[in-house]
Amino acid sequence: MERSLVLIKPNAMKRQLAGTILSRLEAQGLKIVALRMRHINKALARRHYTAHKSKPFFKDLIDYITSSPIVAVVFAGDGAVEAIRRIMGDTNPVKAKPGTLRHDFGLDIQQNAVHGSDSSESAEKEIKLFFRKDELFDY
Ligand code: IDP
Ligand code: MG
């Protein structure tokens, strides 16, 4: 079973879309194996988005992702990383296909409602930033 980290981003939290987004993912056969709501600090945000530290949008992205509490979830399933990327759609909500989470709930390229890991390797790294081993369930 592959695992992927999903974050419900501040724009989706403020619009009370966490449950809607999680139920769409569960409806595709993905299983919740860890879940927590937290207001992450900038240090954790910078570690999570370290691959983007030299991008012009980095500072804004860190300010955004730390602007409200978020929900962090680990989903497990066969091909979970790719399945979640497909359900989320393109990074830019304008380019995301109808029926994808980012098309339906994203406001702009930054406030695109949801994060999903981009590979199994980055998923495992990201999961370690958000959860201890004993917070991940096998059932
Ligand atoms: P992804 O979330 O689809 O994997 P990445 O390129 O990894 O997209 O970017 C991480 C996050 O950074 C995006 O989800 C989005 O919130 C933000 N972002 C990406 N590109 C831009 C941009 O051009 N301007 C502002 N924010 C951006
Ligand atoms: Mg990415």
Side-chain angles (χ1 to χ4, degrees), residues 114-133:
V114 59
H115 164 84
S117 307
D118 66 7
S119 69
S120 222
E121 298 70 51
S122 44
E124 293 304 318
K125 280 188 207 152
E126 291 172 3
I127 289 166
K128 283 202 187 88
L129 295 178
F130 284 84
F131 295 98
R132 296 192 311 264
K133 247 189 174 160

Side-chain angles (χ1 to χ4, degrees), residues 9 48-49 51-52 55-58 60-61 64-65 85 88-92 102 108-118:
K9 294 186 179 183
H48 173 70
Y49 281 124
H52 298 296
K55 305 266 172 69
F57 60 79
F58 185 68
D60 275 358
L61 176 60
Y64 167 60
I65 203 72
R85 297 292 298 191
M88 288 197 308
D90 194 280
T91 305
N92 187 346
R102 284 165 162 178
D108 56 43
I109 193 165
Q110 177 188 76
Q111 302 183 83
N112 57 7
V114 59
H115 164 84
S117 307
D118 66 7

Side-chain angles (χ1 to χ4, degrees), residues 19-82:
T20 301
I21 290 171
L22 295 184
S23 66
R24 284 220 199 163
L25 292 162
E26 283 190 306
Q28 295 300 309
L30 294 152
K31 188 194 272 188
I32 294 175
V33 297
L35 183 148
R36 165 187 295 149
M37 181 171 174
R38 64 188 286 194
H39 196 146
I40 65 168
N41 62 30
K42 291 196 179 182
L44 174 55
R46 286 192 199 101
R47 287 174 73 192
H48 173 70
Y49 281 124
T50 189
H52 298 296
K53 63 174 182 268
S54 59
K55 305 266 172 69
F57 60 79
F58 185 68
K59 188 188 174 296
D60 275 358
L61 176 60
I62 300 308
D63 289 345
Y64 167 60
I65 203 72
T66 58
S67 66
S68 85
I70 60 175
V71 169
V73 191
V74 179
F75 276 100
D78 283 335
V81 165
E82 204 188 315

